[in-house]
Amino acid sequence: MPRERQAACLPSAPSQLRLMPIARLAQGGRWRIEAMRSLSEPCLLWFTRGQGRITVGGTTRGYGAHNAIFIPAGVMHGFDMSPQTHGTAVFFGAECNLPLPQGALHLRIRDAASQVELNALLEAAQRENESDRPAADRAVHHHLGLLSVWLERQAASGANDLPAPDAARKLVARYATLLEREFRSGHGVADYAAQLGVTPTHLTRSCRSSCGRAASDLLQDRRLYEARRLLSETRAPVKEISDVLGYTSPAYFTRAFHARTGKTPSQFRKAP
């Protein structure tokens, strides 16, 4: 595929800082939050109401009100939510130079003072982000600097509820990292298992133990999230999307897409 045409199928350019209600993340389809994907920027999910399950780096956990989940750039994740789920999502921007955590955090904030502090930081950052006052961008940066301090202090206080990585979770975390790097290659589960030095059966057993899903489900979920994103956000032809995602033919891509979504790629693109 020519380089300039392949560029139409590459991820969107990194975005700037933005804060938004978590409910807005599902606009355009629940697949935008439920399917496995990664971002080119760090993000923080602050849930203030509701509950569900979230998978980060191959480990699935329940979340509830007053849970703060930090996800570094490039880490695969997906979560489910109900109409009762409320909170704020913070996207830091790919050029963010704050001293943010290197790994994922799942913080269960039980202390009311810490909850109030986080809400105040987010409200202040949002207010400045929407302001046209002088030095508003600098004010936002300083508020986010305080947010990074808040995250560091909460992690140090023992609020992080991610389980200690056992052998299965370590393997699945490696698989998720490899998958994120190579999901466009067309490799199957057996190829990934070989790179990880295990059998496909062992890899699938570990995935089911860590996140309740088969290794093949994670692979297909990641590829088809990207397919839906490209169909909805670009004008790239179906054949080019099939090629860039490593499918052996457009016909196979169409069958796989229809089996997971109930629509052909063309039908999905035309849907409101």
Side-chain angles (χ1 to χ4, degrees), residues 108-129:
R108 299 188 189 273
I109 310 303
R110 298 177 174 87
D111 175 52
S114 296
Q115 298 168 13
V116 170
E117 183 181 6
L118 178 55
N119 285 328
L121 285 171
L122 296 178
E123 289 168 8
Q126 179 75 306
R127 187 165 55 248
E128 293 291 350
N129 199 41

Side-chain angles (χ1 to χ4, degrees), residues 6-21:
Q6 187 177 19
C9 290
L10 294 177
S12 306
S15 58
Q16 298 301 309
L17 165 79
R18 64 228 187 270
L19 295 86
M20 65 182 66

